[in-house]
Amino acid sequence: MRIVIPVKWVPDTAGEKQIDPDRLTVDRTSVASVLCPVNEFAIEEAMRIKEAHGDDVETVVLIVGPEEAGPTAAKALSYGLDRAVRVTDDAVAGSDALGTAQVLAAAVRTIGFDVVLFGNQSTDARTSLVPAAVAELLGVPSITYARRLEIADGALTADREHEEGWDTVTSPLPAVVSVVEAINEPRFPSFKGIMAAKSKPSDVWDLSQLDGLDSGLVGADAARAVVTSAAPRPPKAAGTVVTDDGSGAAADALLDWMAEKKFV
Amino acid sequence: MSELLVLVDHSGGQPRKISLQLLAAARAVAGDLGVDVAAVWLGPGAADAAGVLGAHGAARVHHWDDADAKGFVTVPQVEALEQLVAAVAPAGVLFASSNHVKDVAARLAVRVGGGVITDATGLAVDGGALVATKEVFGGDVITTSRVADGALPIVGIASNAFAAEEVGGAPAELVPFDVTLSDAARTAPVTDVVQQASADRPDIAEAAIVVSGGRGLGDASGFSLLEQLADLLGGGVGASRAATDAGWYPHRYQIGQTGRTISPTLYLGAGISGAIQHRAGMQTSQYVVAVNKDPEAPIFQIADFGVVGDLHQVVPKLIAALEARRG
């Protein structure tokens, strides 16, 4: 069984971001980039499946991004995944979520897969569109928002979280899965894992090496969702701060404020 | 007249709150687009909802009255919409930016050559095209975007961005349609539906008021205090990652970069320092209130009203005052 874990190279949430006025997105040279924290839950789940099923499970990390995304793939490998594929091609720049899904689906098809294991969202764009779009392009079920995942005998069972609880579903493999943070508690990479990551197989592909990709559907010109302006959020005006005297009496001032704003 | 379709997200036979907000969003642009607002109801139950959908501005409701819509994961709804889009050639589709509905939008967009924008907080019409406002990078950046010419606009609306409003319309005209499902649509059955959320307490995604707790609560019992406060305000209860990782509250209520993104009218954080990873999930809230004993806590930088003090003193007093007010 082969599990492909697509990961994303995202701007650090804690970093201050500059907007590139020409491309209307964050200038990636202005802010440190990291492995998307939500991917850690997918990596952990892949490791648990591998540990439960033994050596016949291969785990492949997949990343689409420029050369600078290389260390992010290495970070993913340091958790114990087997090998990495990085797709690097200038033609990918400016893709929307559906264009990115085209590249990921073609790369997954080229690698070959039983399970594709995503995080349910990225911390930067947070559209959550990519896993389902990849599933559609691959023609397989999209078992997203999984808070529990079990794989046995060529099929899976999952609990898919929604606003009111969850749906338990079953699906044959191959399938695309995305996981939410309730699913597990990610491990930290070990020193051994970090050292081993350096010698694990890592391929770098361009778009011409991907099976069945229509490159006309990729990149800024193909984007069907087009950003027309981008601006930093205006800073918020300072609010009222009261200091309680230790008795809780400040609750009255808070209640007055809430009444003034018509919340009570 | 062409139509702007509103995909109704429904549960237990009722449209969810976001669906009525979607109708308000659709009404806001229908005039400028020169279109009718039409609801789409997938699964049984449209007849009982026609009154409320019409009252909120839907001229008609296209409905596919088949339990398969929710009996299998996502694909039946995608095929239903694909066939409806082919039949009525709508000007666009609005959907709820909630977990499972985003999947429907993504798969539909691939099939019909649509363009998808999610989590829109504002809608306008410019040059005959829909333009959406949204907040990205954890609310740090505000963008406007549109769907490319020739692509069907499929636009997801964020919770609480539009106020649901009854406009006194007649019950929506019921327009049934048939769907031919592929075998692939029935490969992943839903075998059980578990309701975890409290029936009386709104989910944090759609609540107008969210009370949220963090490390400062000290232990799990602090959340019963926050639930009491939330129930008095008709709000939902959320948590920081520190609190969910500690096992004090279920992960599904975690607000922040790895959890949920919320934009209530009022966010009230108790014992939450407001680390950037948490703020990324809530800083688009309209008003922020913070109760924290550390005056240096970053949450005070974005608070409209802050109380520097011990939440274990302040929150019980607030609860008592609210109860007294209620009488």
Side-chain angles (χ1 to χ4, degrees), chain B residues 80-101:
Chain B
L81 283 167
E82 180 187 19
Q83 291 165 36
L84 181 65
V85 164
V88 306
V93 180
L94 300 189
F95 66 95
S97 292
S98 54
N99 284 3
H100 294 196
V101 188

Side-chain angles (χ1 to χ4, degrees), chain A residues 17 19 230-236, chain B residues 121 133-143 262-264 279 282-288 302 304:
Chain A
K17 301 158 194 81
I19 295 166
R233 183 180 183 76
K236 205 165 172 176
Chain B
T121 55
T133 306
K134 65 178 292 189
E135 319 207 7
V136 295
F137 296 105
D140 285 350
V141 178
I142 297 170
T143 63
I262 60 166
S263 48
R279 298 209 306 270
M282 50 63 68
Q283 67 179 348
T284 60
S285 305
Q286 192 179 346
Y287 289 104
V288 173
I302 58 163
D304 297 279

Side-chain angles (χ1 to χ4, degrees), chain A residues 48-212:
Chain A
R48 290 185 186 198
I49 295 165
K50 187 178 173 67
E51 285 158 1
H53 290 250
D55 287 341
D56 62 339
V57 175
E58 186 191 31
T59 53
V60 184
V61 58
L62 168 63
I63 191 163
V64 177
E67 209 175 325
E68 292 84 345
T72 300
K75 169 88 190 283
L77 287 174
S78 72
Y79 289 90
L81 304 180
D82 296 321
R83 65 185 175 97
V85 172
R86 169 160 58 87
V87 178
T88 297
D89 197 310
D90 290 344
V92 177
S95 295
D96 64 0
L98 297 181
T100 303
Q102 293 280 351
V103 178
L104 287 169
V108 166
R109 199 183 294 123
T110 308
I111 294 165
F113 74 106
D114 299 285
V115 179
V116 183
L117 206 48
F118 281 96
N120 72 305
Q121 61 188 351
S122 61
T123 56
D124 54 354
R126 304 189 83 145
T127 69
S128 295
L129 294 172
V130 168
V134 167
E136 179 64 33
L137 291 164
L138 294 170
V140 300
S142 40
I143 309 301
T144 48
Y145 303 96
R147 69 193 309 281
R148 179 180 70 89
L149 177 64
E150 277 167 27
I151 293 178
D153 306 323
L156 67 79
T157 304
D159 290 338
R160 300 184 64 220
E161 196 157 85
H162 51 68
E163 285 71 12
E164 286 144 19
W166 56 84
D167 292 353
T168 301
V169 305
T170 61
S171 170
L173 302 184
V176 169
V177 176
S178 81
V179 300
V180 294
E181 58 115 42
I183 197 168
N184 59 40
E185 220 167 292
R187 69 195 67 191
F188 292 99
S190 64
F191 179 71
K192 194 173 146 219
I194 294 166
M195 297 311 290
K198 293 175 180 164
S199 55
K200 285 181 174 171
S202 284
D203 291 315
V204 180
W205 295 347
D206 62 27
L207 295 187
S208 71
Q209 289 166 276
L210 305 187
D211 288 347

